[in-house]
Amino acid sequence: MALIVQKFGGTSVGTVERIQAVAEKIQTFRKQGHDIVVVVSAMSGETNRLVSMASEMQKHPKAEELDVLLSTGEQVTIALLSMALENLGCPARSYTGWQIAIRTDSYHNKARIQEIDTGSVRADLDAGRVVVVAGFQGVSESGRITTLGRGGSDTTAVALAAALDAQECQIYTDVDGVYTTDPRVVEGARRLDKITFEEMLEMASLGSKVLQIRSVEFAGKYNVTLRVLHSFQDGPGTLITLEEQSEMEQPVVSGIAFNRDEAKLTIKGVPDIPGVASRILGPVGRANIEVDMIVQNVAADQTTDFTFTVHRNDYQRALEVVAQTCKDLGAREYDGDNKIAKVSIVGVGMRSHAGVATQMFEALAAEGINIQIISTSEIKVSVVIQEKYLELAVRALHSTFELNQGTSVEQE
Ligand code: ADP
Ligand code: ASP
Ligand code: MG
């Protein structure tokens, strides 16, 4: 008899029939005596549809109004799921983010949860109801609707689990767990029984969208037991855990993440003097554009080439900023490329193994793939390559690091 928070993603609630199937699943947990809080996403495709309607209306819609629009997707699902539960004789009550209230800061489109009032949820649970909460949304201090960034329903679920001290937060989706890489790209990808928070955080921030980054951060910070499972197939799923495996059974590389959302900009022939990096990146930051990777190379003629990457959506704006900076600094020229991709290998096992990066570079060279930028941390190596080689690179690395089904240490 436990309190469980269950989150169902867009495809799992994509049709009326699927919502009915989700209701039946919840009902089986209720019959086992568990208290259930459910968090749902908008029906699949709905948030994208709303985004494109907004951009038809206005080139740059106000973030605040966009949130009012985007939050409607989840409101549809909570009502339909509550009806489906009532049909099964299972008392349920729906809540939008502001009704609960899920209080956030005022950064519209990417707000952060600050506090959750759990009073009404607890009262409903005590009255024997299933509580159905709209994911992805909250309310700012000034009473305006906010949203938490794409994929944000995961974070709503984990934050509710933390606030309610739930026994477990279960993320139900269209795959049966976290895989060594996106199973849509590599057929031989393998489901992991467990993955550490640290690795999951890297995987999520390097592009594996199976969990939103903030949800993993939250779960690590508040020690929430987090599991990823398939909505309609039984199985153990993947547990995100604090525990590291013993060195014996630990693979060097646990997973491969990739991201097609980046673009690269370069300013060439910049005078190599103190303050150049800040003069290039300062205006980028002031334009509210986030920078990911940065590389600087000094040439023999005392000038430097400076390259950095940004989100692809910010590419055109970043090019305009860089054009101006190029003039201001008297640099030789600038260029950009938005047909790049970032591929990363991730694993806590890298800490105790040398030569992992070299093995990665050799595998890419063997496929004739040129590396444009490299960045490393203790548990990851990332490279930027031409986008057209992305799938080839991911598959090559997946087999180099023996991640294919049946080749892992754990499976021996
Ligand atoms: P939901 O709508 O349920 O939130 P998402 O589309 O956000 O689902 O996340 C599930 C998808 O994440 C899967 O369909 C899969 O293609 C993708 N994915 C990317 N990387 C991984 C990975 N390492 N393991 C599992 N799924 C992954
Ligand atoms: N509906 C939102 C999105 O598509 C939030 C979510 O699904 O988690 O990004
Ligand atoms: Mg998601």
Side-chain angles (χ1 to χ4, degrees):
M1 309 316 108
L3 168 57
I4 305 174
V5 175
Q6 302 185 321
K7 178 253 168 178
F8 291 88
T11 42
S12 312
V13 292
T15 61
V16 167
E17 292 72 28
R18 287 200 180 162
I19 293 175
Q20 283 164 337
V22 164
E24 278 163 26
K25 185 171 184 103
I26 294 165
Q27 172 81 322
T28 60
F29 281 90
R30 278 296 293 146
K31 284 192 172 150
Q32 290 161 16
H34 300 304
D35 283 337
I36 306 292
V37 173
V38 192
V39 174
V40 281
S41 292
M43 295 167 85
S44 60
E46 178 61 8
T47 311
N48 287 344
R49 190 182 73 87
L50 296 167
V51 169
S52 69
M53 250 202 302
S55 50
E56 261 178 63
M57 187 56 75
Q58 243 182 341
K59 192 163 179 224
H60 297 296
K62 246 168 96 184
E64 204 177 311
E65 291 311 332
L66 195 57
D67 277 350
V68 177
L69 180 68
L70 297 194
S71 64
T72 60
E74 273 69 12
Q75 189 168 336
V76 171
T77 332
I78 53 170
L80 291 174
L81 180 58
S82 302
M83 291 174 200
L85 285 163
E86 293 280 348
N87 276 344
L88 299 175
C90 178
R93 178 174 279 164
S94 67
Y95 285 90
T96 61
W98 64 266
Q99 284 176 314
I100 288 228
I102 297 177
R103 300 190 187 282
T104 71
D105 60 25
S106 304
Y107 289 95
H108 287 277
N109 303 170
K110 48 182 174 198
R112 288 175 168 249
I113 297 177
Q114 291 176 329
E115 205 189 334
I116 300 183
D117 300 340
T118 54
S120 45
V121 176
R122 288 203 189 276
D124 278 324
L125 292 174
D126 290 345
R129 294 190 189 102
V130 170
V131 177
V132 184
V133 181
F136 176 56
Q137 53 182 264
V139 58
S140 72
E141 252 170 49
S142 44
R144 303 295 297 167
I145 295 175
T146 53
T147 64
L148 311 179
R150 297 305 303 268
S153 300
D154 297 334
T155 303
T156 306
V158 174
L160 268 169
L164 292 162
D165 200 16
Q167 176 170 307
E168 187 163 312
C169 180
Q170 302 173 339
I171 306 288
Y172 288 96
T173 183
D174 57 0
V175 270
D176 64 346
V178 178
Y179 276 66
T180 46
T181 192
D182 191 338
R184 288 180 206 262
V185 169
V186 178
E187 220 177 84
R190 183 167 46 81
R191 183 183 58 78
L192 300 163
D193 286 327
K194 287 184 189 175
I195 183 168
T196 66
F197 279 109
E198 218 182 346
E199 288 171 322
M200 193 63 239
L201 201 56
E202 285 285 8
M203 291 281 280
S205 51
L206 295 168
S208 297
K209 290 175 185 146
V210 59
L211 286 175
Q212 199 202 30
I213 307 167
R214 289 279 295 142
S215 72
V216 187
E217 274 172 9
F218 245 108
K221 188 165 165 196
Y222 295 100
N223 209 356
V224 174
T225 304
L226 182 62
R227 202 182 284 277
V228 176
L229 300 134
H230 198 292
S231 297
F232 305 118
Q233 290 167 15
D234 289 334
T238 300
L239 180 68
I240 325 295
T241 166
L242 282 173
E243 218 180 288
E244 289 190 11
Q245 291 163 311
S246 72
E247 207 165 302
M248 274 287 288
E249 56 186 4
Q250 197 169 66
V252 181
V253 172
S254 300
I256 296 171
F258 54 86
N259 188 352
R260 301 173 203 265
D261 294 340
E262 297 207 18
K264 162 181 103 156
L265 296 102
T266 301
I267 304 194
K268 294 179 185 163
V270 185
D272 184 29
I273 49 170
V276 160
S278 70
R279 286 185 65 189
I280 295 174
L281 295 180
V284 178
R286 283 192 288 280
N288 213 2
I289 298 172
E290 268 178 49
V291 170
D292 181 21
M293 299 165 106
I294 302 169
V295 195
Q296 187 184 354
N297 274 326
V298 179
D301 65 355
Q302 296 307 302
T303 67
T304 164
D305 289 353
F306 194 98
T307 300
F308 61 95
T309 64
V310 298
H311 195 284
R312 217 177 261 191
N313 291 346
D314 293 327
Y315 178 60
Q316 285 308 331
R317 282 199 306 132
L319 265 183
E320 285 163 27
V321 172
V322 158
Q324 186 58 45
T325 307
C326 188
K327 255 196 223 156
D328 296 347
L329 286 177
R332 193 171 64 242
E333 58 182 329
Y334 71 95
D335 64 22
D337 184 357
N338 64 356
K339 297 271 181 299
I340 58 160
K342 182 164 80 173
V343 182
S344 311
I345 54 174
V346 175
V348 288
M350 274 187 226
R351 284 200 183 109
S352 49
H353 286 81
V356 183
T358 313
Q359 221 181 323
M360 179 187 197
F361 304 153
E362 280 169 2
L364 296 172
E367 299 291 345
I369 301 171
N370 192 37
I371 299 172
Q372 303 181 5
I373 305 178
I374 301 169
S375 103
T376 65
S377 78
E378 221 186 357
I379 67 160
K380 71 121 205 273
V381 183
S382 300
V383 295
V384 167
I385 59 172
Q386 263 185 293
E387 187 185 9
K388 66 178 180 189
Y389 294 125
L390 176 64
E391 296 188 355
L392 179 63
V394 175
R395 289 200 188 103
L397 295 171
H398 201 263
S399 76
T400 296
F401 291 104
E402 301 187 341
L403 295 173
N404 289 325
Q405 282 179 28
T407 57
S408 83
V409 182
E410 286 159 284
Q411 305 228 328
E412 276 171 12

